[in-house]
Amino acid sequence: MDFRSFFPIWNKLTAEEQNKIEGAITTRKVEKGTVLHDGSSDCTGLFLIKTGQLRAYILSEEGREVTIYRLFDRDVCLFSASCMMRSIQFDITIEAEKDTEVWVIPVKVYEGIMENSAPVANFTSELMASRLSEAMWLIEQILWKSLDKRVSAFLLEEAIIEESDKLKITHETIANHIGSHREVITRMLKYFQGEGMVKLSRGAIEITDKKKLQRLSD
Amino acid sequence: MDFRSFFPIWNKLTAEEQNKIEGAITTRKVEKGTVLHDGSSDCTGLFLIKTGQLRAYILSEEGREVTIYRLFDRDVCLFSASCMMRSIQFDITIEAEKDTEVWVIPVKVYEGIMENSAPVANFTSELMASRLSEAMWLIEQILWKSLDKRVSAFLLEEAIIEESDKLKITHETIANHIGSHREVITRMLKYFQGEGMVKLSRGAIEITDKKKLQRLSD
């Protein structure tokens, strides 16, 4: 469980670069619900996830949220270091969805290496491209998918992440993930329950007919 | 008007890399309306715009469009070469909005240089970051801005690009830019006309009260 085996392009770094990073990294343990990065102003450093789960989301002026992407073990979070790219002009918030442990690579160290290392620059570029792909997917979802499809797809994804059909999640949380309102989500879930696809209880949603939910989300 | 002065990081290339690119580039002239790149399947090469204007958009299964970004003189279009990044998993269409002339850098040549050149990899990464910023802006617009604000903002942007308050643009075209329907745009523009902000005529929209339109878009 050491950094060397977790950092995806460790073997492409020079010995000097490896030493620089190893001498600078720190670890950070946070509880579920902790905000690790808030907007573009602070420049916390790159996170490499050891264990846990992070959620990156944007906030409207009225405080509404929408999830842009989620990060799991071995993922690298670039936007907690967004100050290092002048072309990044949006504010993203990063929150722990589960108890999480991350390695933090200081911005100055990563930036210094990236400037001269083609492997690190290309790795960064691929990370950026995959976040862009997620943003494009989200645009398609918001514009062209109806809310019932989006809610059913979210529940199915959640069941995969949690490896359980019984999800401990509030209607408010779902609304924050998909950029909707709690009342709207509650109405939709009650409709799903009426159709026999889910069973609702306090703070939990159980998927009772996965196939039907899947047909709806397709 | 030669490639050297247009390519943003020309001076950061080695003499060998410069020769490789100069030996491989071609130019392409297209008329307004030409589709230069269609989805992720073909991998046309990187475009560097000499003169003209390109529009990058995505298409829904039903054929609805939404503009992701536009490119002008000296801009580099990366997604006509999206095959070179395995993390890009979306299909984008690139169309000339005006008569356009571009330099085309073949993918294999750019890719080969990028693999070993930190400046080229970092340049690519910055391009990707700026497209991501545009996608994030679009997500915020779609989720949190009402249609009247989006249409007014589009008209004001268009007036800046065209350097004229008399826009030759159809309602269908506006709908395709912002991911809406023609009927909805027509209704909105008629409302704007009723409020004295625009004057509608066949195939044209004249902005008659810019300040009022600006207040609406803010």
Side-chain angles (χ1 to χ4, degrees), chain B residues 178-195:
Chain B
I178 68 178
S180 182
H181 292 281
R182 187 186 54 76
E183 297 76 11
V184 178
I185 299 299
T186 299
R187 209 181 312 134
M188 186 66 73
L189 289 171
K190 280 184 180 161
Y191 163 76
F192 284 5
Q193 182 167 251
E195 295 287 307

Side-chain angles (χ1 to χ4, degrees), chain A residues 74-99:
Chain A
R74 292 176 185 272
D75 276 336
V76 173
C77 182
L78 205 60
F79 297 109
S80 48
S82 57
C83 60
M84 76 182 180
M85 321 269 311
R86 61 183 152 64
S87 306
I88 293 180
Q89 280 157 358
F90 53 89
D91 290 353
I92 216 159
T93 306
I94 293 157
E95 187 191 79
E97 274 196 307
K98 296 186 177 167
D99 292 350

Side-chain angles (χ1 to χ4, degrees), chain B residues 65-80:
Chain B
E65 302 176 2
V66 65
T67 301
I68 306 293
Y69 56 86
R70 296 159 113 178
L71 297 169
F72 306 94
D73 297 4
R74 293 177 185 270
D75 276 336
V76 173
C77 181
L78 205 58
F79 297 108
S80 49

